């Protein structure tokens, strides 16, 4: 399992993903789930994936195939990129799905794709295993894929359209800490990228490896804050 999330606010989009693909007592694999397609001054496209790893790899490969104007680096709108991801996913699942289903393996995967292409505003999409997609809106300012439930409450409480990118980035890291404490299938390393609207280049990106002191401090401070907040809640009035 994995956990990926992206939040869209007025000042840009923040993306985060873990790198764990298998989990168990003695079986943990690490694979990068965030991929960036960048042409400085022209476009920044960020792709996050959760689900069947082989299917996700094939989809990423297909995004660069064909005539230049039909690839992720040549399309002229983010919606066209979302269509390309969905169409590629349908093709992969149609080809590999029947064989994999005989082995009780799900060929499907989810993608979050977002960023900005010159000439339009930043946009963010969630592409479903069936290849269709939805776009973020005022009511849906973030998307999660993978192990989503544990990290959702903090995002719901913190992220608003006017929230600064630095605050969104901090919130997503806390979301990861909450998820990792409740589910061993999500773990470090974590990739974090903050895209500033209209920058058309990546300026803020970081990977948090095992035992990263900054992430460890976030986890410690958040845990201490939760315990203090709980202690401040009044006792139940039984009368």
């Amino acid at each position: 399992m994995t956990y990926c999330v992206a939040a869209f606010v007025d000042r840009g989009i923040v993306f985060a993903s873990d790198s764990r693909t298998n989990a168990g007592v003695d079986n943990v694999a690490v694979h990068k789930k965030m991929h960036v397609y960048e042409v400085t001054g022209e476009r920044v496209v960020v792709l996050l994936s959760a689900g069947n790893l082989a299917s996700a790899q094939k989809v990423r490969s297909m995004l660069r195939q064909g005539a230049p104007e039909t690839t992720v680096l040549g399309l002229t709108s983010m919606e066209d990129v979302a269509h390309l991801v969905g169409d590629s996913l349908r093709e992969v699942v149609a080809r590999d799905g029947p064989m994999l289903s005989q082995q009780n393996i799900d060929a499907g995967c989810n993608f979050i794709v977002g960023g900005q292409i010159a000439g339009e505003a930043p946009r963010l999409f969630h592409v479903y295993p069936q290849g269709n997609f939805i776009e973020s809106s005022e009511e849906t300012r973030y998307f999660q894929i993978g192990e989503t439930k544990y990290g959702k409450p903090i995002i719901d409480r913190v992220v608003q359209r006017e929230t600064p990118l630095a605050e969104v980035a901090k919130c997503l890291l806390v979301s990861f800490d909450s998820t990792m404490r409740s589910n061993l299938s999500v773990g470090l390393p974590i990739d974090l990228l903050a895209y500033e609207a209209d920058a058309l280049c990546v300026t803020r990106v970081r990977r948090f490896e095992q035992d990263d002191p900054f992430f460890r401090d976030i986890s410690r401070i958040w845990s201490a804050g939760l315990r203090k907040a709980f202690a401040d809640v009044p006792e139940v009035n039984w009368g």
Side-chain angles (χ1 to χ4, degrees), residues 186-228:
V186 176
L188 295 161
I190 293 171
D191 291 302
L192 180 70
L193 186 153
Y195 173 72
E196 185 175 358
D198 300 323
L200 294 174
C201 65
V202 174
T203 58
R204 284 178 276 186
V205 61
R206 179 170 175 183
R207 167 167 272 212
F208 298 87
E209 300 283 357
Q210 297 289 341
D211 298 320
D212 184 282
F214 182 79
F215 189 83
R216 189 168 58 241
D217 283 347
I218 282 182
S219 179
R220 175 181 55 79
I221 293 169
W222 180 244
S223 294
L226 283 177
R227 288 192 292 269
K228 182 180 183 305

Coordinates of all heavy atoms in Angstrom, one line a residue, residues 186-228:
V186 N 2.5 2.2 5.2 CA 2.9 3.5 4.7 C 4.2 3.9 5.5 O 4.2 3.8 6.7 CB 1.8 4.6 4.9 CG1 2.3 6.0 4.5 CG2 0.6 4.2 4.1
G187 N 5.2 4.4 4.8 CA 6.4 4.7 5.5 C 7.4 5.6 4.7 O 7.2 5.8 3.5
L188 N 8.4 6.1 5.4 CA 9.5 6.8 4.7 C 10.2 6.0 3.7 O 10.2 4.7 3.9 CB 10.4 7.4 5.8 CG 9.8 8.4 6.8 CD1 10.7 8.5 8.0 CD2 9.7 9.7 6.1
P189 N 10.8 6.6 2.7 CA 11.0 8.0 2.4 C 9.7 8.7 1.9 O 8.8 8.0 1.4 CB 12.0 8.0 1.3 CG 12.7 6.7 1.3 CD 11.7 5.7 1.8
I190 N 9.6 10.0 2.2 CA 8.5 10.8 1.7 C 9.0 11.9 0.8 O 10.0 12.5 1.1 CB 7.7 11.5 2.9 CG1 7.0 10.4 3.7 CG2 6.7 12.5 2.4 CD1 6.5 11.0 5.0
D191 N 8.4 12.0 -0.4 CA 8.7 13.0 -1.4 C 7.7 14.2 -1.2 O 6.5 13.9 -1.2 CB 8.7 12.5 -2.8 CG 9.9 11.5 -3.0 OD1 11.0 11.9 -2.9 OD2 9.6 10.4 -3.4
L192 N 8.2 15.4 -1.1 CA 7.4 16.6 -1.0 C 7.8 17.6 -2.0 O 8.9 17.9 -2.2 CB 7.6 17.2 0.5 CG 6.8 18.4 0.8 CD1 5.3 18.1 1.0 CD2 7.3 19.0 2.2
L193 N 6.8 18.2 -2.7 CA 7.0 19.2 -3.7 C 5.9 20.3 -3.6 O 4.7 20.0 -3.5 CB 7.0 18.6 -5.1 CG 7.3 19.5 -6.3 CD1 7.9 18.6 -7.4 CD2 6.1 20.3 -6.8
A194 N 6.4 21.5 -3.5 CA 5.4 22.7 -3.5 C 5.6 23.5 -4.7 O 6.7 24.0 -5.0 CB 5.7 23.6 -2.2
Y195 N 4.6 23.5 -5.5 CA 4.6 24.3 -6.8 C 3.9 25.6 -6.6 O 2.7 25.7 -6.2 CB 3.9 23.5 -7.9 CG 3.8 24.4 -9.2 CD1 5.0 24.7 -9.9 CD2 2.6 24.9 -9.6 CE1 4.9 25.5 -11.0 CE2 2.6 25.7 -10.7 CZ 3.7 26.0 -11.4 OH 3.6 26.8 -12.5
E196 N 4.6 26.7 -6.9 CA 4.0 28.0 -6.7 C 3.4 28.4 -8.1 O 4.0 28.3 -9.1 CB 5.1 29.1 -6.4 CG 4.6 30.4 -6.1 CD 5.7 31.4 -5.6 OE1 6.8 30.9 -5.5 OE2 5.4 32.6 -5.4
A197 N 2.1 28.9 -8.0 CA 1.4 29.2 -9.2 C 2.2 30.2 -10.1 O 2.8 31.2 -9.6 CB 0.0 29.8 -8.8
D198 N 2.2 29.9 -11.4 CA 2.8 30.8 -12.4 C 4.3 30.7 -12.4 O 5.0 31.4 -13.2 CB 2.3 32.2 -12.3 CG 0.8 32.3 -12.5 OD1 0.3 31.6 -13.3 OD2 0.2 33.2 -11.8
A199 N 4.9 29.9 -11.6 CA 6.4 29.8 -11.6 C 6.9 29.1 -12.8 O 8.0 29.4 -13.3 CB 6.9 29.1 -10.3
L200 N 6.1 28.1 -13.2 CA 6.5 27.2 -14.4 C 7.9 26.6 -14.2 O 8.6 26.4 -15.2 CB 6.4 28.0 -15.7 CG 4.9 28.4 -16.0 CD1 4.9 29.3 -17.3 CD2 4.1 27.2 -16.3
C201 N 8.3 26.3 -13.0 CA 9.5 25.6 -12.7 C 9.4 25.1 -11.3 O 8.6 25.6 -10.5 CB 10.7 26.4 -12.9 SG 10.9 27.8 -11.8
V202 N 10.1 24.0 -11.0 CA 10.1 23.5 -9.6 C 11.1 24.2 -8.8 O 12.3 24.2 -9.2 CB 10.3 22.0 -9.6 CG1 10.5 21.4 -8.2 CG2 9.2 21.2 -10.4
T203 N 10.7 24.8 -7.7 CA 11.7 25.5 -6.8 C 11.8 24.9 -5.4 O 12.8 25.1 -4.8 CB 11.3 27.0 -6.7 OG1 10.0 27.1 -6.2 CG2 11.4 27.7 -8.1
R204 N 10.8 24.2 -5.0 CA 10.8 23.6 -3.6 C 10.4 22.2 -3.7 O 9.3 21.8 -3.9 CB 9.8 24.4 -2.8 CG 10.3 25.8 -2.3 CD 9.3 26.5 -1.5 NE 8.3 27.2 -2.4 CZ 7.4 28.0 -1.9 NH1 7.3 28.3 -0.6 NH2 6.5 28.6 -2.8
V205 N 11.4 21.3 -3.5 CA 11.2 19.9 -3.5 C 12.2 19.3 -2.5 O 13.3 19.7 -2.3 CB 11.5 19.3 -4.9 CG1 12.9 19.5 -5.4 CG2 11.1 17.8 -4.9
R206 N 11.7 18.3 -1.7 CA 12.6 17.6 -0.7 C 12.1 16.2 -0.5 O 10.9 15.9 -0.6 CB 12.5 18.4 0.6 CG 13.3 17.8 1.7 CD 13.5 18.6 2.9 NE 14.2 17.9 4.0 CZ 14.4 18.3 5.2 NH1 14.0 19.6 5.5 NH2 15.0 17.6 6.1
R207 N 13.1 15.3 -0.2 CA 12.8 14.0 0.2 C 13.2 13.8 1.7 O 14.3 14.2 2.1 CB 13.6 13.0 -0.7 CG 13.6 11.5 -0.2 CD 14.0 10.5 -1.2 NE 12.9 10.1 -2.0 CZ 12.8 8.8 -2.5 NH1 13.8 7.9 -2.3 NH2 11.8 8.5 -3.2
F208 N 12.3 13.2 2.4 CA 12.6 12.9 3.8 C 12.9 11.4 3.9 O 12.1 10.5 3.8 CB 11.3 13.2 4.7 CG 11.0 14.7 4.6 CD1 10.2 15.2 3.6 CD2 11.5 15.6 5.6 CE1 9.8 16.5 3.6 CE2 11.2 16.9 5.5 CZ 10.4 17.4 4.5
E209 N 14.2 11.1 4.2 CA 14.6 9.7 4.3 C 14.4 9.2 5.8 O 13.9 9.9 6.6 CB 16.1 9.6 4.0 CG 16.5 10.1 2.6 CD 16.2 9.1 1.6 OE1 15.7 8.0 1.9 OE2 16.4 9.4 0.4
Q210 N 14.7 7.9 5.9 CA 14.6 7.3 7.3 C 15.4 8.1 8.3 O 16.5 8.6 8.0 CB 15.1 5.9 7.2 CG 14.3 4.9 6.3 CD 12.9 4.6 6.8 OE1 12.7 4.8 8.0 NE2 12.1 4.2 5.9
D211 N 14.8 8.3 9.5 CA 15.4 9.0 10.6 C 15.7 10.5 10.2 O 16.6 11.1 10.8 CB 16.7 8.3 11.0 CG 16.4 6.9 11.6 OD1 15.4 6.8 12.2 OD2 17.2 6.0 11.2
D212 N 15.0 11.1 9.3 CA 15.2 12.5 9.0 C 14.9 13.3 10.3 O 13.8 13.2 10.8 CB 14.2 12.9 7.9 CG 14.5 14.4 7.4 OD1 14.0 15.3 8.1 OD2 15.1 14.6 6.4
P213 N 15.8 14.2 10.7 CA 15.6 14.9 12.0 C 14.4 15.9 11.9 O 13.7 16.1 12.9 CB 16.9 15.7 12.2 CG 17.6 15.7 10.9 CD 17.1 14.5 10.2
F214 N 14.1 16.5 10.8 CA 13.0 17.5 10.7 C 11.7 16.7 10.8 O 10.8 17.2 11.5 CB 13.1 18.2 9.3 CG 12.0 19.2 9.2 CD1 12.1 20.5 9.8 CD2 10.9 19.0 8.4 CE1 11.0 21.4 9.7 CE2 9.9 19.9 8.3 CZ 9.9 21.1 8.9
F215 N 11.6 15.6 10.1 CA 10.3 14.9 10.2 C 10.1 14.3 11.5 O 9.0 14.2 12.1 CB 10.3 13.7 9.1 CG 9.0 13.1 9.0 CD1 8.0 13.6 8.2 CD2 8.7 11.9 9.7 CE1 6.7 13.0 8.1 CE2 7.5 11.3 9.6 CZ 6.5 11.8 8.8
R216 N 11.2 13.9 12.2 CA 11.1 13.3 13.5 C 10.7 14.4 14.5 O 9.9 14.1 15.4 CB 12.5 12.8 14.0 CG 12.5 12.0 15.3 CD 13.8 11.3 15.5 NE 14.9 12.2 15.5 CZ 16.0 12.1 14.6 NH1 15.9 11.1 13.7 NH2 17.0 12.9 14.7
D217 N 11.1 15.7 14.3 CA 10.7 16.8 15.2 C 9.2 17.1 14.9 O 8.5 17.3 15.9 CB 11.5 18.0 14.9 CG 12.9 18.0 15.5 OD1 13.1 17.1 16.3 OD2 13.7 18.8 15.1
I218 N 8.7 17.0 13.7 CA 7.3 17.2 13.4 C 6.5 16.2 14.1 O 5.5 16.5 14.8 CB 7.0 17.2 11.9 CG1 7.5 18.5 11.2 CG2 5.6 16.9 11.6 CD1 7.2 18.6 9.7
S219 N 6.9 14.9 14.1 CA 6.1 13.9 14.7 C 6.1 14.1 16.2 O 5.1 13.9 16.9 CB 6.8 12.5 14.4 OG 6.1 11.5 15.0
R220 N 7.2 14.5 16.8 CA 7.3 14.6 18.3 C 6.5 15.8 18.7 O 5.7 15.7 19.7 CB 8.8 14.9 18.7 CG 9.0 15.2 20.1 CD 10.4 15.5 20.5 NE 11.0 16.5 19.6 CZ 10.9 17.8 19.8 NH1 10.1 18.3 20.8 NH2 11.4 18.7 19.0
I221 N 6.6 17.0 18.0 CA 5.8 18.2 18.4 C 4.3 17.9 18.2 O 3.5 18.3 19.0 CB 6.3 19.4 17.5 CG1 7.7 19.7 17.9 CG2 5.4 20.6 17.7 CD1 8.4 20.7 16.9
W222 N 3.9 17.3 17.1 CA 2.5 17.0 16.9 C 1.9 16.1 18.0 O 0.8 16.3 18.5 CB 2.3 16.4 15.5 CG 0.9 16.1 15.2 CD1 0.3 14.9 14.9 CD2 -0.2 17.1 15.0 NE1 -1.0 15.0 14.6 CE2 -1.3 16.3 14.7 CE3 -0.2 18.5 15.1 CZ2 -2.6 17.0 14.5 CZ3 -1.5 19.1 14.9 CH2 -2.6 18.3 14.6
S223 N 2.7 15.0 18.3 CA 2.2 14.1 19.4 C 2.0 14.9 20.7 O 1.0 14.7 21.4 CB 3.2 13.0 19.5 OG 3.2 12.2 18.3
A224 N 3.0 15.7 21.0 CA 3.0 16.4 22.3 C 1.8 17.4 22.3 O 1.1 17.6 23.3 CB 4.3 17.2 22.5
G225 N 1.6 18.0 21.1 CA 0.4 19.0 21.0 C -0.9 18.3 21.2 O -1.8 18.8 21.8
L226 N -1.0 17.1 20.6 CA -2.3 16.4 20.7 C -2.5 16.0 22.2 O -3.7 16.1 22.7 CB -2.2 15.1 19.8 CG -2.4 15.3 18.3 CD1 -2.3 14.0 17.6 CD2 -3.8 15.9 18.1
R227 N -1.5 15.5 22.9 CA -1.7 15.1 24.3 C -2.1 16.3 25.1 O -2.9 16.2 26.0 CB -0.4 14.5 24.8 CG -0.1 13.1 24.2 CD 1.0 12.4 25.0 NE 2.3 13.1 24.8 CZ 3.1 12.7 23.8 NH1 2.8 11.8 23.0 NH2 4.3 13.4 23.7
K228 N -1.5 17.5 24.8 CA -1.8 18.7 25.6 C -3.3 19.1 25.3 O -4.0 19.5 26.2 CB -0.9 19.9 25.2 CG -1.2 21.1 26.0 CD -0.2 22.2 25.7 CE -0.5 23.5 26.6 NZ -1.9 23.9 26.5

